[in-house]
Amino acid sequence: MTENLEAPPMKRSANDFIFGKVLGEGSFSTVFLAKDVHTSKEFAIKVCQKRHIIREKKQDYVKREKETLLVLSKNVKESAPYFVRLYCTFQDPESLYFVLTYAKKGDLLGYLNKVGSFEDHCSKFYGAEIVQALEHLHCLGIVHRDLKPENILLSESMHIVITDFGSAKILNCVEMDEKNKENSEEDAGELKRKSSFVGTAQYVSPEILNRTRTTPSCDLWALGCIIYQMVAGLPPFRGHSDYAIFQKIMKLEYEYPDGFPDDARDIVTQLLVLEPSERLGAKDIGSYTSVKSHPFFSGLDFEELHKVKPPEICPHLVRTESSSSFEIPSDAQPGLGANELSRALGLPLAPSRKSSTVTRSKLSIADLDETEREKMLEGQKENKFNQFVENNVILKQGFIDKRVGLFSRRRMLLLTTGPHLYYVDSGNMVLKGEIPWSLDLKTEAKNFKTFFVYTPNRTYYLEDPTGFALEWCKAIDDVRNFYFRSNAEG
Ligand code: ATP
């Protein structure tokens, strides 16, 4: 089942590569896209400054990452090729270089941030690839210990490529039996150091927090967190500080939002178990059969996953009770008159019902001359949201539900000149953010209530509870066309 790593080429140095763009920065490293001058093959080269490693006392971290990557790279399993490979290492007086597989499509966290939650078949597929990867990893005696969406990169063909083995542990029997206490204190110290710069503790298992022993089961806990996040759009344990998150983890304090499917709920519940040995799969030997045979994964052939085309990651259209009941609006009139017909066809609607949104009388921003602008600015002084719009004219405002996966929050959305799309927590009167504008901003109404605003890094999933999604899209498109089309043309 295993094959040897292709023999590393003759001794390499930085001169054997053309260094391209920076792919990312770690706490003591910079990762570059690089091309091998001899083969034209692309790699990700992680460059760690020796000075920095010593100053940050990261020698162990770097050593561990190299050792783990070497074991993995020497034991590539055809049906679980889900790890970054270390092709070669070299150094010069200043830096250490790791030549790694280039994962072209970024990381899973980027996709989760972009679309919120995944379609069910997508969560299933990526969950299954992680299980297949963990099975191989644990068979080699390696525990990752820092599995999280940002450490799950994606290859050009959108299969997972797990990275960041600096916290990994290669277990052997002696270590498992005798050095548990010692290991665990080391783990806790490391966690403390790490959390100070990683900034997230959301996937850490309770036994690592408790300083009890580390077993492969801590990666099963992380798997539970990641499946939850793919399905719900946010991780299960959330809080304003690492401390608050740790508290919730220790008390197993998390909830399932409405719409969380039963099979997903069942597998997550069986993975997020405080006692490591009681987690689904923890008692399996050699293969995670109990995890793989769970109904959540029904219909998947784990051995074949790497050969199939992964499902496309696109925003998951959430079916809530209110969205389905909106199919026929409560105040819809019988018959097929002009209003009813345009509603059914998804055309702009005559506002026969009272909308909670306010659109200025002059909808077309192109008509907004200086006098009109002054008049509108004067008129909106009484508007309590005026304080957030930085002296811009409010063209449209209204309450919308801003959704991330299965979670949603009511916000006041303000479309203004500038252009800006501000959203405000009206309960606390706090500006929560802005949807960034660019020529690439696009809208799409999914139904009368739901509309998406696509930006390069994120899809905003918005619901107008009064059913005027089409109006929002039209107003946003008008503003985009006014500011950006004329720029692009002129
Ligand atoms: P830290 O070392 O602080 O834990 P890190 O693990 O993210 O952070 P690196 O491994 O140096 O640090 O990676 C930095 C960034 O470079 C990553 O966040 C990722 O965006 C990018 N990156 C790392 N490895 C690859 C790769 N093989 N292919 C593509 N991009 C990569």
Side-chain angles (χ1 to χ4, degrees):
M1 268 311 207
T2 58
E3 64 179 33
N4 283 331
L5 174 67
E6 298 150 23
M10 298 157 308
K11 213 162 168 40
R12 291 284 199 227
S13 77
N15 292 332
D16 291 299
F17 297 92
I18 294 166
F19 285 77
K21 64 175 178 179
V22 171
L23 296 171
E25 309 234 13
S27 46
F28 56 90
S29 54
T30 305
V31 180
F32 295 87
L33 172 61
K35 200 184 228 179
D36 184 323
V37 292
H38 311 282
T39 63
S40 290
K41 234 184 133 198
E42 286 182 327
F43 296 97
I45 301 189
K46 181 163 170 163
V47 184
C48 309
Q49 279 197 346
K50 291 179 182 173
R51 219 166 12 102
H52 207 145
I53 295 171
I54 294 164
R55 197 173 55 219
E56 298 283 320
K57 302 194 172 60
K58 290 287 175 187
Q59 294 93 325
D60 281 353
Y61 188 93
V62 176
K63 203 169 134 227
R64 203 175 304 162
E65 178 153 42
K66 182 175 171 186
E67 277 171 10
T68 317
L69 284 172
L70 278 175
V71 173
L72 275 168
S73 301
K74 282 186 183 138
N75 292 282
V76 177
K77 185 177 176 188
E78 200 194 327
S79 63
Y82 300 131
F83 304 94
V84 89
R85 278 175 79 170
L86 178 63
Y87 288 89
C88 62
T89 57
F90 51 87
Q91 56 177 300
D92 59 28
E94 287 81 39
S95 307
L96 300 176
Y97 297 78
F98 289 66
V99 181
L100 304 163
T101 317
Y102 171 38
K104 214 170 188 164
K105 293 288 171 71
D107 61 37
L108 200 62
L109 184 66
Y111 283 87
L112 282 163
N113 286 342
K114 187 168 167 90
V115 304
S117 60
F118 290 180
E119 296 280 2
D120 293 347
H121 64 290
C122 228
S123 310
K124 231 167 108 157
F125 181 89
Y126 284 106
E129 285 207 337
I130 299 170
V131 172
Q132 187 71 1
L134 289 183
E135 182 176 286
H136 179 53
L137 195 68
H138 295 169
C139 279
L140 293 173
I142 301 169
V143 189
H144 189 288
R145 302 199 298 181
D146 194 18
L147 195 64
K148 55 186 175 185
E150 60 194 289
N151 286 340
I152 300 175
L153 306 180
L154 293 153
S155 67
E156 184 165 21
S157 52
M158 288 299 286
H159 290 279
I160 64 164
V161 181
I162 297 180
T163 187
D164 198 357
F165 288 88
S167 303
K169 188 143 199 78
I170 304 178
L171 303 174
N172 57 46
C173 302
V174 179
E175 271 182 317
M176 289 279 275
D177 294 343
E178 291 174 8
K179 288 176 69 186
N180 287 335
K181 186 81 176 83
E182 194 184 322
N183 290 345
S184 57
E185 268 158 16
E186 181 195 317
D187 296 343
E190 183 179 273
L191 174 78
K192 224 171 151 192
R193 281 195 300 279
K194 217 170 149 41
S195 62
S196 62
F197 60 82
V198 171
T200 171
Q202 284 153 320
Y203 311 87
V204 172
S205 65
E207 65 271 23
I208 291 186
L209 293 174
N210 261 333
R211 306 178 182 207
T212 46
R213 70 180 201 174
T214 302
T215 67
S217 190
C218 70
D219 292 339
L220 294 172
W221 173 276
L223 170 70
C225 295
I226 295 167
I227 294 178
Y228 180 104
Q229 185 167 0
M230 289 192 291
V231 174
L234 292 173
F237 304 101
R238 304 179 298 280
H240 292 299
S241 64
D242 284 356
Y243 180 76
I245 297 170
F246 291 162
Q247 293 294 308
K248 288 189 174 173
I249 292 171
M250 301 301 287
K251 290 191 239 158
L252 199 64
E253 199 181 300
Y254 72 100
E255 284 169 2
Y256 291 104
D258 289 345
F260 203 99
D262 290 345
D263 284 345
R265 187 186 180 111
D266 189 76
I267 195 167
V268 170
T269 307
Q270 293 196 59
L271 289 166
L272 297 184
V273 172
L274 290 175
E275 171 51 48
S277 63
E278 296 301 321
R279 284 176 206 144
L280 187 67
K283 295 192 167 78
D284 292 352
I285 297 167
S287 162
Y288 280 131
T289 42
S290 61
V291 184
K292 292 177 169 184
S293 59
H294 188 280
F296 177 70
F297 292 121
S298 69
L300 287 185
D301 182 345
F302 284 75
E303 299 290 310
E304 298 290 311
L305 290 173
H306 68 291
K307 292 188 197 155
V308 305
K309 189 169 178 283
E312 198 186 334
I313 299 178
C314 45
H316 175 199
L317 202 54
V318 178
R319 301 217 181 282
T320 57
E321 255 176 52
S322 55
S323 70
S324 53
S325 65
F326 188 77
E327 298 293 326
I328 299 179
S330 56
D331 58 351
Q333 298 299 308
L336 202 58
N339 270 347
E340 290 68 37
L341 189 61
S342 55
R343 181 180 292 287
L345 294 174
L347 299 172
L349 305 171
S352 55
R353 294 168 303 123
K354 190 158 167 40
S355 160
S356 73
T357 62
V358 178
T359 305
R360 297 295 167 205
S361 52
K362 286 209 168 195
L363 181 68
S364 173
I365 185 171
D367 297 337
L368 197 64
D369 59 24
E370 205 40 48
T371 326
E372 186 66 18
R373 187 188 148 82
E374 291 300 324
K375 215 166 93 193
M376 288 177 80
L377 279 176
E378 192 54 37
Q380 74 186 37
K381 277 194 178 145
E382 297 301 305
N383 184 334
K384 68 173 183 170
F385 296 100
N386 190 37
Q387 60 178 300
F388 300 111
V389 300
E390 303 165 294
N391 212 29
N392 287 297
V393 175
I394 300 174
L395 300 164
K396 185 175 173 65
Q397 74 178 74
F399 285 107
I400 48 99
D401 293 318
K402 186 167 159 291
R403 189 172 269 290
V404 175
L406 300 179
F407 300 91
S408 90
R409 290 196 198 283
R410 184 140 300 181
R411 298 283 180 244
M412 172 56 70
L413 185 64
L414 299 150
L415 172 66
T416 74
T417 53
H420 294 275
L421 260 169
Y422 302 96
Y423 48 93
V424 173
D425 171 355
S426 63
N428 298 309
M429 286 306 276
V430 174
L431 178 69
K432 299 304 280 190
E434 259 193 71
I435 299 178
W437 280 93
S438 70
L439 181 61
D440 298 323
L441 182 143
K442 286 191 181 54
T443 64
E444 186 188 9
K446 288 302 208 182
N447 51 46
F448 289 114
K449 196 176 145 190
T450 305
F451 63 108
F452 292 165
V453 178
Y454 297 100
T455 70
N457 292 324
R458 183 163 168 194
T459 299
Y460 292 81
Y461 190 131
L462 308 169
E463 289 166 342
D464 178 349
T466 57
F468 287 86
L470 287 165
E471 272 196 7
W472 270 113
C473 291
K474 185 176 179 321
I476 296 169
D477 289 348
D478 277 353
V479 171
R480 200 245 351 262
N481 292 343
F482 176 74
Y483 282 101
F484 292 94
R485 195 158 290 167
S486 51
N487 279 355
E489 282 162 5

